[in-house]
Amino acid sequence: MNKALDILKQNHYTFVAIKGDFEYHSILNGIAPIMNQMNEDVFFFKDCEVADKVIGKSAAMLLIKSQIKHLDAILISEHAIKVLDKYQVSYTYQEVVPYIINRTKEGMCPMEKSVLDIEDLDKGFEKLNATLTSLRKNMNK
């Protein structure tokens, strides 16, 4: 097992990224742990080994854009696998599902849904930021 995945499981984190002595971890859900850092520095995760509990196409696109070295996912969607394969990013997973379900368990995760038809990483990043902003506005109403 990879070090990042060990750290993720032992500490009940949702996301871990490591490179040498550098370690970043989070208990935030969804793409928040990735997006928060990438909005400060798009290459924050460059050359990192990453472990995440849930990887949909949205998270996969972000991590590819940030130029990670390797990804270990506990749960991964078929859409994420396609984009990881397309960009030839090394990954492992424990369970694959057709798509990531939303938090109410009534349909597809809105983040994954927002980039389903997008292949370009820059356009995906823009769309995910817009979707996240929209979702946050609706939560505050």
Side-chain angles (χ1 to χ4, degrees):
M1 204 178 311
N2 289 336
K3 185 177 177 184
L5 189 57
D6 286 339
I7 294 168
L8 179 108
K9 288 182 172 183
Q10 290 169 3
N11 296 285
H12 306 287
Y13 294 132
T14 57
F15 181 89
V16 172
I18 58 172
K19 176 173 67 174
D21 293 337
F22 166 80
E23 181 180 317
Y24 169 80
H25 48 80
S26 179
I27 58 169
L28 297 175
N29 290 317
I31 64 169
I34 304 167
M35 194 64 105
N36 291 347
Q37 297 305 317
M38 286 184 66
N39 279 327
E40 298 294 322
D41 174 8
V42 76
F43 299 110
F44 184 84
F45 300 108
K46 183 175 173 58
D47 297 324
C48 284
E49 292 188 18
V50 172
D52 198 326
K53 287 180 83 173
V54 178
I55 291 286
K57 183 176 180 182
S58 56
M61 289 181 80
L62 292 172
L63 293 170
I64 294 164
K65 181 171 176 56
S66 197
Q67 299 181 1
I68 65 165
K69 180 179 180 181
H70 177 80
L71 170 66
D72 289 305
I74 293 176
L75 180 75
I76 194 168
S77 76
E78 291 173 358
H79 301 290
I81 288 174
K82 287 177 186 170
V83 75
L84 289 162
D85 286 345
K86 176 181 177 177
Y87 287 95
Q88 300 177 333
V89 173
S90 166
Y91 66 93
T92 64
Y93 61 87
Q94 294 178 12
E95 182 182 353
V96 65
V97 293
Y99 59 89
I100 303 304
I101 56 174
N102 63 21
R103 293 190 180 138
T104 61
K105 310 221 184 298
E106 296 170 355
M108 185 180 288
C109 163
M111 302 313 286
E112 183 162 54
K113 189 175 187 177
S114 74
V115 294
L116 265 188
D117 297 326
I118 298 175
E119 295 300 320
D120 180 86
L121 298 177
D122 293 329
K123 288 180 182 169
F125 185 63
E126 290 171 18
K127 180 67 174 183
L128 289 167
N129 263 315
T131 303
L132 207 51
T133 299
S134 175
L135 288 173
R136 286 179 177 155
K137 278 184 187 173
N138 289 337
M139 284 176 52
N140 293 328
K141 286 184 177 179

